[in-house]
Amino acid sequence: MMSYIIRRILYAIPILIGVNILTFLLFFYVNTPDDIAKAQLGEKRVSQEAIEQWKQSKGYDKPILWNAEATGIQKLGDTIFFDKSIRMIFFDFGSSDSGRDINYDISQRMWPSLAIAIPTLLIGLTVNITIALMIVFFRGTAIDTWAVVFCVFLLSISSLFYIIGGQFFFSKMLHLVPISGYDTGASAIKFLILPIIIGVIGGIGGGVRWYRTLFIEEIEKDYVRTARAKGLKEITVLFRHILNNAMIPILTGVVVILPLLFMGSLLMESFFSIPGLGSYTIDGIQRQDFAIVRSMVYLGSVLYIIGLILTDISYTIVDPRVRLN
Amino acid sequence: MSIFTIQPVFLITDILLFLLVAIAVGYFCYARQHAHLVTPWKHLSKNSVAMGSAAILLAYLSIAVVDSIHFKLPSENYSKEDPHYQPEALSLLDVWLKPLRDKSEKSYSSPFASQLFTKESIEQKNGSTIWDYPSLRYGGVHLNEGQSKSADILIRSIPGVIKGLLLGALVLILLTLYHRKKSPQPLFYHMQQILKGQCSIQWRPFLFVSTGLFIISGIIIELSQVYHVFGTDKIGDSILYQSLKSIRTGILIGTLTTLVMLPFAIILGIAAGYFRGWIDDLIQYIYTTLNSIPSLLLIAAVMLMLQVHLNNNAEDYNSLLERADLRLLFLCMILSVTSWTGLCRYLRAESLKLREMDYIAAARTMGVSHISILSRHILPNVTHIVLITVILDFSGLVLAEAMLAYVQIGVDPTTESWGNMINSARLEMAREPAVWWSLTAAFTFMLILVLAANLFSDAVRDALDPRGQHYD
């Protein structure tokens, strides 16, 4: 077990290096720091001095890969590549283009993101699985057919509509909760309810349809017939036997996204002005803050790979038949 | 002005869209001659949901095609010796919708309104000013004092309904003639079969849905002569025009993205599965790396870089349209980078299985080269996976466009798209009273397309995927 985990982590290293090199090429070769400076300063004809000044203040004034003027190890060390990319591998993100410490911002903004993402995931999971099991209970009838059609309808609606419509209906017409904002401590709840509800509703279409297929596959297996033959109630069969056995595919889907919950939901957070990592990313994109976007790309990949490793590990815990080799 | 005095303009995305249509027609003709390829489509044509949504998809696609024929009209002082053209390239749809484009109001007006949405100070004939809703320049000006608007709308929509029904009848006649060619029964018999839904192909839902679309568009065409059917936006432009123009963007993003990624996904996927060894390792490494970057962030990073490039090299492009077009193409390309990995993985797994088959081993012992084994024995047997992916990805991509526009890394702000409409209108809901029509129109147009695509792709998956035999 231990050796398997270590091997998986070792496999992850070349992938992370790949991501790192890719972002480096994208941000420093496709467009040189000069181009970025021009775009940031906004004017068509920017003087070379202004560009140099901007580069110096952001730390982009060093040579990209090889510093011929430096001596010894500094030839490699005193470059943009070392400053920005090698440090990023060890999670030292440095400061953003507007001068703030990215590591500090991430540690602060992580919590509001989690405060939305975790309840949305848990409630969504419960709601989706319950509805899916109920649909499976009525399988083959008109209720089943129409429920599936309704799911397709729900998942055809843009997530923007759920957010805009939800804000309009719950906040503007019914005045139940504030439209947007955030607060610390217990008073944050009134700001969190609406995003969570909208997140759950927006996920119903896709979720229920997916879980229904899982359960339908499971229901044709022999152990289900045995359970029914023993005289168990259909409800017991569904919630005890089928749900337990469908746990493996459900877990794969959930565990893989668990680490990414840190990144928060981009749309939700920026519509509800919640100071999480999602809105941090969007702000970074909209203000063209390349340091932030670069850090988030790297962080996202790391979390995704952690998710994959966790999935493999969780297999062994849920299903003793799976041996990791 | 004759047809010869226009100057055709070919945008890259236009050419790709026509290429795509040509590929689809070519595949259709090819498949007709091969029984094993035709069978799943015959199965599909018996599915009424699939046929109904096909009618909607066809309608959207034809608008997109009409909107992809671009040209420049001759300018006022045009002469044979010295041809001058208007600087702005128009599409066939633009020319057809010219009345809609020209009838622009001052600002917001709600659907079917005859007055502006906001109050202004209006100068009376006697010189005094009052604070009231001014009348529109075009919307509802034909109405007399005290004439009921709803009665007028009702009367004006009747010709639209009739024209829609006539077009529907025309489709029915064409379908009947088509079946008459195949078997000698009388015309009336075939017509009855189609209407009863007992035909070999389920034409009935197709006919009903298309007639419905004809009637709705008939009504809208009649009413839009004198009203703004979907209202006007902040600068007084018709929402209906914007929604129709957005269809091309939506369709292009949904289809071109997959078209662009197909060569990579197919070549790499099949090569990985067939050759195994280090080639497999390398290709797997590439797609795991790309896959591990959250797609939205990768798109954002690339689009930011493109934006920087376009801003710094603005003078390289002849027109705004060309620049916007390039950006659209680039968006398709970068979306395809993030979406090809799934298909690649499927293809790899499938060719891993196929390469162990007896007929491939036989081909190999007979000394057939790798290239011909790949192209003649493996590729044809994975086409169903490719087709399913193309159709399955479509709706997700249309929805993604709207989201990207919100993050401002989508299509060019000057390109009409549902995402841009939603993005510019989302703050209008906070007004008191809310300006709801622009959002509603964009969401409705998008929902109809995505819903039709989703229903169609479900049916395609059932018909084409031998593994996906669902419980029904």
Side-chain angles (χ1 to χ4, degrees), chain B residues 410-449:
Chain B
V411 294
D412 196 81
T414 57
T415 311
E416 283 97 348
S417 82
W418 294 311
N420 280 342
M421 281 174 76
I422 294 168
N423 189 29
S424 58
R426 74 199 156 85
L427 291 176
E428 293 168 1
M429 289 299 270
R431 287 174 66 116
E432 196 62 54
V435 176
W436 49 271
W437 45 90
S438 172
L439 277 176
T440 315
F443 279 130
T444 314
F445 270 83
M446 198 156 75
L447 172 68
I448 293 172
L449 176 64

Side-chain angles (χ1 to χ4, degrees), chain A residues 104-134:
Chain A
Y104 175 77
D105 275 351
I106 289 176
S107 67
Q108 288 296 305
R109 285 171 165 260
M110 205 167 83
W111 305 110
S113 285
L114 286 177
I116 293 188
I118 292 179
T120 312
L121 179 76
L122 291 181
I123 299 173
L125 212 57
T126 326
V127 169
N128 291 350
I129 290 179
T130 318
I131 298 179
L133 279 174
M134 284 195 303

Side-chain angles (χ1 to χ4, degrees), chain A residues 272-324:
Chain A
F272 289 97
S273 9
I274 286 160
L277 281 181
S279 54
Y280 188 55
T281 316
I282 290 222
D283 287 350
I285 295 171
Q286 289 179 342
R287 272 186 293 145
Q288 307 210 344
D289 193 322
F290 298 99
I292 293 178
V293 177
R294 218 172 45 223
S295 316
M296 297 314 276
V297 167
Y298 184 69
L299 188 63
S301 327
V302 173
L303 293 173
Y304 176 79
I305 291 168
I306 295 177
L308 288 184
I309 298 174
L310 285 182
T311 315
D312 283 348
I313 297 171
S314 67
Y315 268 144
T316 47
I317 298 169
V318 191
D319 189 350
R321 285 170 303 180
V322 177
R323 292 265 176 279
L324 297 176

Side-chain angles (χ1 to χ4, degrees), chain B residues 133-367:
Chain B
Y133 300 104
S135 305
L136 294 183
R137 284 183 220 151
Y138 301 98
V141 279
H142 64 289
L143 289 173
N144 298 323
E145 196 85 12
Q147 190 182 351
S148 156
K149 197 187 278 174
S150 39
D152 181 63
I153 291 172
L154 212 62
I155 291 169
R156 279 178 185 274
S157 39
I158 291 171
V161 175
I162 294 172
K163 282 174 196 166
L165 283 174
L166 284 178
L167 277 175
L170 185 71
V171 174
L172 175 63
I173 291 169
L174 287 177
L175 290 177
T176 313
L177 288 176
Y178 169 74
H179 278 276
R180 174 79 171 75
K181 248 173 72 180
K182 281 184 169 174
S183 64
Q185 276 97 350
L187 273 180
F188 185 68
Y189 167 81
H190 286 293
M191 204 178 276
Q192 223 175 8
Q193 290 289 74
I194 290 174
L195 287 178
K196 275 185 187 162
Q198 289 166 346
C199 211
S200 56
I201 300 171
Q202 270 289 355
W203 286 120
R204 191 166 63 158
F206 182 84
L207 187 71
F208 283 2
V209 172
S210 50
T211 311
L213 285 178
F214 285 138
I215 292 177
I216 292 172
S217 26
I219 295 174
I220 290 178
I221 291 172
E222 290 295 327
L223 289 178
S224 63
Q225 313 282 337
V226 286
Y227 291 107
H228 296 289
V229 181
F230 288 108
T232 56
D233 70 353
K234 192 173 185 179
I235 49 167
D237 284 340
S238 163
I239 300 285
L240 175 62
Y241 174 73
Q242 290 177 18
S243 315
L244 287 173
K245 285 288 283 181
S246 302
I247 289 178
R248 174 174 184 266
T249 316
I251 295 268
L252 278 181
I253 289 195
T255 53
L256 287 195
T257 303
T258 357
L259 183 75
V260 174
M261 79 164 189
L262 275 185
F264 299 101
I266 292 178
I267 293 174
L268 292 182
I270 294 181
Y274 180 74
F275 291 114
R276 309 240 298 244
W278 66 272
I279 298 182
D280 189 17
D281 288 341
L282 181 70
I283 293 170
Q284 276 201 63
Y285 172 70
I286 295 175
Y287 73 62
T288 324
T289 307
L290 278 178
N291 212 23
S292 66
I293 303 177
S295 49
L296 191 80
L297 283 167
L298 184 63
I299 296 169
V302 176
M303 288 311 279
L304 279 185
M305 286 304 152
L306 180 75
Q307 227 158 323
V308 170
H309 181 79
L310 286 179
N311 284 345
N312 290 342
N313 302 293
E315 53 290 346
D316 291 355
Y317 306 101
N318 294 332
S319 63
L320 271 179
L321 186 67
E322 216 166 282
R323 209 180 127 188
D325 185 67
L326 197 74
R327 183 161 167 168
L328 177 62
L329 183 70
F330 218 85
L331 185 64
C332 291
M333 277 154 106
I334 186 59
L335 273 170
S336 75
V337 170
T338 59
S339 64
W340 68 283
T341 49
L343 177 61
C344 194
R345 194 176 301 151
Y346 282 133
L347 288 176
R348 174 179 169 271
E350 191 69 18
S351 13
L352 266 179
K353 236 187 310 172
L354 285 175
R355 79 188 289 273
E356 306 300 334
M357 300 289 242
D358 288 342
Y359 71 94
I360 305 269
R364 222 178 289 148
T365 39
M366 282 160 68

Side-chain angles (χ1 to χ4, degrees), chain A residues 14 31 156 172 209 266 270, chain B residues 285 296 305 406 429 431 458:
Chain A
N31 287 299
S156 302
K172 206 182 157 198
R209 195 168 78 140
L266 296 171
S270 82
Chain B
Y285 172 70
L296 191 80
M305 286 304 152
Y406 170 73
M429 289 299 270
R431 287 174 66 116
D458 271 9

